[in-house]
Amino acid sequence: MKAWWQQLNIREQRLVATMGFAVLVFIIYSLIWQPLNDSLLQSQSKLKRQQSLLTWVQENTQHYQNAKKNNSGKKSSGSLSSIINRSANGHQITITRMQPQGDDLQVWIDSAPFTQLLFWLEHLANNEGLQVKSIDLSKGERAGEVKVRRLQLAKR
């Protein structure tokens, strides 16, 4: 290699040295600098997304807490059985039997659409101030319907 270098004239040696330097800079740029720069840009982009998500969560947490405070005061007045009867009629749910059990009330429903039952239970929890203590369901006679063997409800 040294013999080859020695037989080149000075102008060719400068040209080979310049090309070697250019190749070295290209290798450093493509193997080190560019991947680091890309990684930095991706990290900055991810940070911005995470910060916007954090802001969104903080804003919606505040809305949720305000809504929760407002809903917690919206407990319906009246007896437990009257609240359940009124809301069940409003959700087209037919109660077949109700039995008080201490402060709780047990409810039986022969057949009800599952989604309608869920909407009714959600209404009881969020709007009437009631909670489901336990529920025992079985498959209904038709598709999408359930039979409520026992539903125990109580005021919060």
Side-chain angles (χ1 to χ4, degrees):
M1 181 76 139
K2 191 173 185 179
W4 174 78
W5 181 259
Q6 297 277 333
Q7 83 184 96
L8 296 176
N9 65 29
I10 293 188
R11 192 171 179 194
E12 291 173 337
Q13 287 178 352
R14 285 185 191 156
L15 184 60
V16 169
T18 304
M19 288 304 294
F21 180 73
V23 168
L24 181 65
V25 168
F26 175 75
I27 290 173
I28 290 173
Y29 176 78
S30 63
L31 295 179
I32 298 172
W33 183 262
Q34 188 64 34
L36 285 175
N37 193 31
D38 289 345
S39 176
L40 179 64
L41 291 175
Q42 288 174 351
S43 297
Q44 288 173 343
S45 174
K46 185 176 180 181
L47 177 64
K48 287 180 184 178
R49 286 192 313 270
Q50 294 296 328
Q51 286 174 335
S52 67
L53 177 62
L54 176 63
T55 303
W56 181 86
V57 167
Q58 288 172 338
E59 289 171 357
N60 287 313
T61 300
Q62 189 63 35
H63 292 300
Y64 172 75
Q65 289 173 344
N66 290 340
K68 187 176 178 182
K69 287 177 187 176
N70 292 339
N71 282 340
S72 64
K74 289 185 178 180
K75 294 184 180 180
S76 295
S77 61
S79 70
L80 192 56
S81 60
S82 67
I83 294 170
I84 291 171
N85 273 326
R86 180 177 30 82
S87 65
N89 288 337
H91 285 85
Q92 291 87 33
I93 296 199
T94 305
I95 296 175
T96 55
R97 182 175 158 206
M98 289 174 36
Q99 178 180 342
Q101 187 155 9
D103 292 337
D104 301 348
L105 186 67
Q106 287 191 355
V107 176
W108 286 263
I109 301 170
D110 275 341
S111 183
F114 181 69
T115 55
Q116 198 67 26
L117 178 68
L118 288 180
F119 287 134
W120 178 55
L121 294 175
E122 186 266 337
H123 171 79
L124 290 175
N126 291 336
N127 299 333
E128 304 294 342
L130 302 180
Q131 85 180 74
V132 176
K133 282 195 163 181
S134 65
I135 188 168
D136 184 10
L137 300 174
S138 66
K139 185 178 178 182
E141 294 175 9
R142 290 184 282 183
E145 289 192 349
V146 292
K147 183 176 189 175
V148 180
R149 292 181 182 166
R150 187 176 59 87
L151 168 63
Q152 188 169 352
L153 297 165
K155 286 188 177 183
R156 285 190 212 161

